[in-house]
């Protein structure tokens, strides 16, 4: 666990600052919810900009403040100039600088004061201060603590953004790292009269038709490794093209095989131009973070991780997965 020096930060924020909030590539609900919550709090007294590396799914574009989010890939010059003029940069929901993808160089060469707020394991040391706890289910929960410790008042917009971060990163409160404290924070957020039914509807009931077509295709590929209690599903580049794939369409696919009795490890492979990306989910003790790190150039959390294989065909990636699975049989 890493803690920040709150009195230093309070002092630093006692004068008007140019602040950047950034997060990881292809931001998810936690990344955006945390960033927007912090924006709403800080914008009263500071110049604040959120810059995210690239675009994100339509079901995250309804949150209050969404129109103020700058997408780096589409506004590189303006973003670079804002970053160069900044005094303080918040790095939210990531702990390795490569996760910002195309923003790596500008952030790496920049001397602004940096504060990381994150919940992934093993933070790198590119920030001046780190608030990190990998046992916490979402960055949004850490943002809540951060704001309370700095005596900030919340409002409905801030609470809506934090709720979104928590509900998406906890799988609607079902993951094992959900705690009493998670629900206490949710209870505190509900004091602001947030419309949780509306939030769930925006996030989970506003899907594209392409998503359903891709789900149908992915389920057709379901392969069970019964001895290893493992399921694999995949989509090829051709599948994406045929269904008119849009960013975010396959969100959550990897979780579906876990609903099967006796399946505790699920892998989902998806073929993009630059390689095959994989998502891993597990239930219980099987550590997909270790698995992803060791075999798939990736990592994440114990029960949720990702990886990538560059320059491989899908059929070879599946064969490779099946081979490494054998060596893990005893641990699953
Ligand atoms: Mn997160």
């Amino acid at each position: 666990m890493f803690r920040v020096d709150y009195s230093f930060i309070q002092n630093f924020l006692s004068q008007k600052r140019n602040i950047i909030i950034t997060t990881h590539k292809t931001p998810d609900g936690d990344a955006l919810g945390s960033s927007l919550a912090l924006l709403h709090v800080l914008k009263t007294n500071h110049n604040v900009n959120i810059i995210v590396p690239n675009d994100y799914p339509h079901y995250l574009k309804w949150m209050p403040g969404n129109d103020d989010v700058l997408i780096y890939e589409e506004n590189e010059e303006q973003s670079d100039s804002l970053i160069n003029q900044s005094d303080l940069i918040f790095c939210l929901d990531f702990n390795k600088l490569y996760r910002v993808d195309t923003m790596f160089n500008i952030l790496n060469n920049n001397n602004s004061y940096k504060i990381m707020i994150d919940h992934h394991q093993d933070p790198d040391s590119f920030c001046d201060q780190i608030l990190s706890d990998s046992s916490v289910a979402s960055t949004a929960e850490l943002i809540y603590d951060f704001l309370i410790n700095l005596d900030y008042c919340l409002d409905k917009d801030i609470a809506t953004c934090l709720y979104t971060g928590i509900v998406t990163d906890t799988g609607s409160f079902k993951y094992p790292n959900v705690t009493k404290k998670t629900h206490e924070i949710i209870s505190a957020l509900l004091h602001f009269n947030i419309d949780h039914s509306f939030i769930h509807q925006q996030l989970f009931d506003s899907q594209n038709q392409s998503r359903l077509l891709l789900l149908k295709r992915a389920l057709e590929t379901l392969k069970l490794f019964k001895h290893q209690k493992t399921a694999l599903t995949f989509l090829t580049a051709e599948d994406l093209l045929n269904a008119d794939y849009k960013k975010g369409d396959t969100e959550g696919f990897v979780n579906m095989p876990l609903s099967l009795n006796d399946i505790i490890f699920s892998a989902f492979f998806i073929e993009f131009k630059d390689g095959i990306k994989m998502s891993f989910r597990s239930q219980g003790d099987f550590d997909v973070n270790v698995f992803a790190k060791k075999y798939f150039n990736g990592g994440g959390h114990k029960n949720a991780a990702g990886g990538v294989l560059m320059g491989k065909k899908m059929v070879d990636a599946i064969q490779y997965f099946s081979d490494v699975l054998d060596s893990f049989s005893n641990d699953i």
Side-chain angles (χ1 to χ4, degrees):
M1 195 190 296
F2 296 78
R3 293 178 195 283
V4 286
D5 179 347
Y6 282 109
S7 54
F8 177 91
I9 294 171
Q10 212 146 28
N11 194 33
F12 195 93
L13 292 172
S14 65
Q15 45 180 295
K16 188 168 181 158
R17 301 289 191 179
N18 294 324
I19 299 173
I20 299 291
I21 299 168
T22 192
T23 186
H24 56 79
K25 188 187 177 191
T26 313
D28 54 16
D30 189 30
L32 281 163
S34 297
S35 298
L36 285 164
L38 193 58
L39 170 91
H40 291 303
V41 170
L42 295 174
K43 71 182 180 192
T44 322
N45 297 313
H46 305 279
N47 298 320
V48 194
N49 286 281
I50 297 181
I51 306 176
V52 303
N54 61 345
D55 204 1
Y56 46 94
H58 72 279
Y59 55 81
L60 294 174
K61 291 193 172 177
W62 56 272
M63 270 185 274
N66 179 67
D67 290 347
D68 293 331
V69 177
L70 262 177
I71 294 170
Y72 185 79
E73 280 182 1
E74 296 164 15
N75 304 277
E76 207 169 314
E77 221 168 285
Q78 186 192 1
S79 304
D80 282 353
S81 132
L82 287 167
I83 291 170
N84 286 332
Q85 287 164 40
S86 68
D87 310 301
L88 172 60
I89 300 179
F90 281 97
C91 299
L92 305 187
D93 202 39
F94 70 98
N95 64 10
K96 315 256 181 237
L97 199 51
Y98 78 87
R99 297 274 284 122
V100 297
D101 199 44
T102 48
M103 290 175 70
F104 183 91
N105 283 335
I106 182 82
L107 289 177
N108 196 33
N109 297 327
N110 166 282
N111 290 321
S112 305
Y113 200 79
K114 294 189 185 68
I115 298 174
M116 176 199 298
I117 304 179
D118 179 60
H119 66 132
H120 297 85
Q121 286 171 359
D122 309 322
D124 281 352
S125 55
F126 60 92
C127 287
D128 300 278
Q129 293 212 39
I130 299 179
L131 173 60
S132 171
D133 186 345
S134 61
S135 72
V136 172
S138 62
T139 293
E141 287 162 79
L142 294 170
I143 295 281
Y144 177 86
D145 273 349
F146 183 77
L147 298 177
I148 296 301
N149 274 301
L150 289 172
D151 291 328
Y152 283 113
C153 296
L154 308 192
D155 62 19
K156 188 177 175 181
D157 283 353
I158 298 163
T160 297
C161 296
L162 290 177
Y163 186 96
T164 302
I166 297 171
V167 76
T168 50
D169 253 26
T170 58
S172 302
F173 310 109
K174 76 178 169 207
Y175 295 150
N177 50 6
V178 170
T179 59
K180 180 165 164 270
K181 174 131 188 230
T182 309
H183 286 288
E184 281 164 359
I185 293 174
I186 290 295
S187 169
L189 298 179
L190 290 171
H191 277 291
F192 296 95
N193 269 330
I194 58 173
D195 189 344
H196 64 273
S197 295
F198 170 80
I199 297 173
H200 282 256
Q201 198 178 18
Q202 294 300 308
L203 291 170
F204 306 117
D205 301 330
S206 63
Q207 303 295 351
N208 299 320
Q209 189 184 318
S210 49
R211 174 178 164 87
L212 222 56
L213 293 173
L214 287 165
L215 179 61
K216 174 173 173 266
R217 182 74 198 109
L219 291 176
E220 280 167 1
T221 71
L222 178 69
K223 184 173 165 59
L224 298 177
F225 302 80
K226 286 208 169 133
H227 182 59
Q228 290 101 339
K229 298 179 181 157
T230 296
L232 171 71
T233 46
F234 66 87
L235 289 169
T236 63
E238 200 188 344
D239 294 329
L240 301 187
L241 198 68
N242 288 341
D244 189 22
Y245 165 83
K246 290 166 205 70
K247 196 178 274 287
D249 275 351
T250 61
E251 192 69 40
F253 282 13
V254 64
N255 294 306
M256 290 180 186
L258 291 178
S259 65
L260 289 170
N261 216 357
D262 288 337
I263 293 298
I264 58 158
F265 176 31
S266 170
F268 173 61
F269 288 11
I270 184 164
E271 185 180 34
F272 290 107
K273 277 194 297 279
D274 44 351
I276 294 173
K277 293 188 181 154
M278 42 276 302
S279 303
F280 301 115
R281 295 291 183 277
S282 67
Q283 283 168 340
D285 287 337
F286 181 59
D287 191 331
V288 289
N289 177 42
V290 172
F291 184 83
K293 244 187 215 165
K294 190 162 179 191
Y295 298 109
F296 289 92
N297 315 303
H301 305 280
K302 183 180 163 198
N303 295 118
V308 64
L309 286 178
M310 308 299 285
K312 262 206 198 311
K313 284 195 166 39
M314 186 59 86
V315 56
D316 300 325
I318 291 168
Q319 185 58 52
Y320 174 67
F321 176 74
S322 153
D323 291 345
V324 294
L325 207 55
D326 284 335
S327 67
F328 256 80
S329 290
N330 295 334
D331 298 308
I332 301 177

